[in-house]
Amino acid sequence: MLAKLNRRNFLEVLGQATAAGGLIVLLGPRATQATTTPEDEAYDWEEHSYVYLIDISKCIGCGSCVRGCKAENDVPDGFYRTWVERYAIAGLEEVRIDSPQGGLNGFQPDPTAPASTKSFFVPKLCNHCSNTPCVQVCPVGASYQTKDGLVLVDKDHCVGCGYCVQACPYGSRFLDPETHTAEKCTWCYHRISKGELPACVASCPTGTRRFGDLKREGDEVVAIIRSQNVGVLAKELLTKPRCYYLHLDGEVR
Amino acid sequence: MSDAPERHSKHLYRAVIVIVGGLIAIFSSRLLLMPKSFGEHGWYRFDNVAEQMAKPVKHGGNASCKSCHGEQSEQHDGAGHATVPCESCHAPLATHVKEKKKSADMKVERTYKLCARCHQKLEARPKDFPQVVLKEHLEDQGETLEGDVCLNCHQPHAPLEDL
Ligand code: SF4
Ligand code: SF4
């Protein structure tokens, strides 16, 4: 009889204890009010909200941006944090897309291409989505969003499960072949937090790639985004990208 | 019935042990497994933000080149390649300068391939961008497509001057 009573009590108690424990786990890390990042008191991430602008009509497909990114961030061979695609649309139906080595060494004339009605280059990179699927699926909290609007990966905490690589609808992520952790564009956080431009923007000779800050007064890039016909990639996915494209063709995906 | 209170207190006693034990297990595993600074601003390790910021900057920008190569910078800034960053054709500053001293020679690609990346005629390039069909252009000049042939006529810092 004691055993029967006890088991019932025990289960109830256990249930309560687990609930209480769970609550503590959830409430445990209390958000502090500090606004500056720990080591660099000069940079306040609440004073910035970055956006990126790509003017497709200006891109010459030289690949300087891809090389700049590679050199700045030691991106492993065969992988790209940013890349350039060439679109060739013939008869408004046949869409050909190529990106040899991500456009690293530029592009060659394509003698097999049909007489195309239109052709253009589309630089791509992580969109730093505001409503991001990649962070949502991370089971350990290694992918996260910063207060200034970036999506970053903590490679010391990443377990390399690859869920985020699958979740990103833009193909912006890959697993580093050496560390086996998730890698992607950081908008050169080490540069922008020091007031520099991302390496791809700094490398672009044509002004195709530009970087803006929603919280900076009189920001030219923000003015363009607010006043001109810009689009984002795969808008229907509701990921709310922070990369805006000027002169975006409807065929670009 | 007289010993009921005693039996109930026994139940309570065990329940308390289970709860306390559970809490100790939860907190100690949290302490052990959760990285320092995790959760300070959200479901991630906050220290990583500073770690990302601390990475060294490799491209120094044109101004950093100018401080040693004033003459070349001036020529470059006043001519057709003014918007082409120095480090795009040369290499990032970090491969050439360490602690404000020259640490190694700059690597420069000198072959026609460097020029072709921007100026080989491609359907996809903006129509108003200066491009040539390399082979035809060189044939017109009585040259062949090889090595640093472009440099025979063009000075990359001021590509259309002195022609
Ligand atoms: S582009 Fe992909 S990796 Fe970048 S934030 Fe969006 S979902 Fe994440
Ligand atoms: S550097 Fe600029 S022009 Fe060249 S491929 Fe990249 S975005 Fe296009």
Side-chain angles (χ1 to χ4, degrees):
Chain A
M1 181 169 138
L2 188 76
K4 223 198 272 172
L5 269 179
N6 267 357
R7 191 159 69 214
R8 198 202 152 111
N9 280 2
F10 178 76
L11 286 176
E12 260 171 35
V13 165
L14 191 70
Q16 283 159 10
T18 331
L23 203 64
I24 288 163
V25 169
L26 285 176
L27 294 178
R30 212 170 302 137
T32 56
Q33 287 303 304
T35 54
T36 46
T37 39
E39 265 162 41
D40 192 344
E41 294 296 320
Y43 182 73
D44 184 347
W45 67 349
E46 289 194 356
E47 282 178 1
H48 304 273
S49 180
Y50 299 109
V51 283
Y52 198 104
L53 179 68
I54 297 158
D55 184 348
I56 289 180
S57 70
K58 286 188 178 154
C59 181
I60 58 170
C62 62
S64 301
C65 47
V66 184
R67 293 190 297 281
C69 171
K70 283 254 179 197
E72 182 73 36
N73 296 300
D74 297 313
V75 182
D77 283 350
F79 295 90
Y80 306 91
R81 288 185 177 196
T82 185
W83 66 100
V84 180
E85 293 173 357
R86 171 167 58 183
Y87 274 68
I89 304 170
L92 296 178
E93 271 161 16
E94 192 194 337
V95 181
R96 292 165 68 126
I97 307 166
D98 72 334
S99 182
Q101 290 180 285
L104 183 71
N105 291 312
F107 290 78
Q108 296 298 322
D110 180 359
T112 68
S116 45
T117 49
K118 52 182 169 180
S119 186
F120 48 84
F121 294 105
V122 185
K124 290 196 172 171
L125 67 161
C126 168
N127 286 288
H128 293 273
C129 309
S130 299
N131 187 18
T132 146
C134 59
V135 170
Q136 286 170 28
V137 299
C138 179
V140 296
S143 281
Y144 63 96
Q145 277 173 299
T146 62
K147 294 238 160 92
D148 39 14
L150 277 76
V151 172
L152 296 177
V153 185
D154 177 351
K155 78 177 200 313
D156 291 337
H157 197 49
C158 172
V159 292
C161 66
Y163 287 165
C164 59
V165 180
Q166 302 273 323
C168 171
Y170 304 101
S172 305
R173 291 177 172 242
F174 57 91
L175 285 181
D176 185 309
E178 251 174 47
T179 60
H180 305 288
T181 56
E183 267 293 337
K184 65 180 271 300
C185 156
T186 62
W187 274 351
C188 290
Y189 202 59
H190 61 294
R191 295 174 59 92
I192 60 174
S193 57
K194 298 181 183 88
E196 302 284 335
L197 292 169
C200 51
V201 177
S203 305
C204 179
T206 61
T208 298
R209 294 177 177 250
R210 300 184 69 182
F211 198 58
D213 184 346
L214 293 169
K215 291 191 179 168
R216 184 166 47 215
E217 240 178 89
D219 191 291
E220 272 181 47
V221 172
V222 174
I224 295 175
I225 294 172
R226 294 219 168 110
S227 65
Q228 300 194 33
N229 295 330
V230 292
V232 295
L233 298 179
K235 191 168 200 252
E236 69 281 5
L237 298 176
L238 309 177
T239 49
K240 296 204 186 140
R242 277 174 178 264
C243 287
Y244 292 86
Y245 286 84
L246 202 53
H247 304 114
L248 182 67
D249 190 272
E251 288 294 345
V252 177
R253 40 183 194 252
Chain B
M1 288 310 271
S2 62
D3 57 356
E6 197 195 328
R7 270 184 26 216
H8 275 307
S9 71
K10 225 175 185 175
H11 297 159
L12 275 177
Y13 182 62
R14 287 185 182 161
V16 167
I17 289 187
V18 168
I19 294 173
V20 171
L23 288 181
I24 289 176
I26 286 165
F27 276 111
S28 50
S29 53
R30 246 177 82 88
L31 268 180
L32 282 174
L33 297 176
M34 212 168 73
K36 197 178 136 271
S37 90
F38 196 96
E40 265 175 43
H41 281 273
W43 195 246
Y44 61 94
R45 195 172 61 90
F46 182 47
D47 282 352
N48 184 248
V49 177
E51 287 164 22
Q52 300 255 6
M53 282 169 51
K55 280 191 211 157
V57 168
K58 294 194 179 163
H59 288 76
N62 289 4
S64 57
C65 309
K66 198 171 192 163
S67 59
C68 292
H69 305 282
E71 208 178 297
Q72 290 90 332
S73 289
E74 215 162 279
Q75 189 185 29
H76 165 266
D77 291 352
H81 275 167
T83 59
V84 182
C86 309
E87 290 158 292
S88 286
C89 298
H90 298 272
L93 183 76
T95 64
H96 174 61
V97 174
K98 293 228 160 66
E99 280 148 17
K100 304 209 165 149
K101 285 214 180 82
K102 178 177 169 182
S103 62
D105 283 340
M106 261 288 172
K107 280 185 286 176
V108 198
E109 194 183 329
R110 306 179 68 85
T111 73
Y112 69 88
K113 287 185 183 157
L114 177 74
C115 313
R117 277 178 191 150
C118 295
H119 296 293
Q120 163 67 51
K121 175 129 184 67
L122 293 179
E123 193 65 20
R125 289 199 165 127
K127 298 291 166 272
D128 57 356
F129 185 79
Q131 327 166 38
V132 292
V133 178
L134 271 186
K135 262 190 135 169
E136 284 174 14
H137 176 68
L138 287 166
E139 269 166 25
D140 287 351
Q141 314 296 324
E143 301 269 10
T144 44
L145 188 60
E146 59 181 9
D148 55 4
V149 58
C150 305
L151 305 185
N152 291 350
C153 300
H154 299 280
Q155 211 289 36
H157 291 156
L160 289 180
E161 280 166 28
D162 307 324
L163 278 184

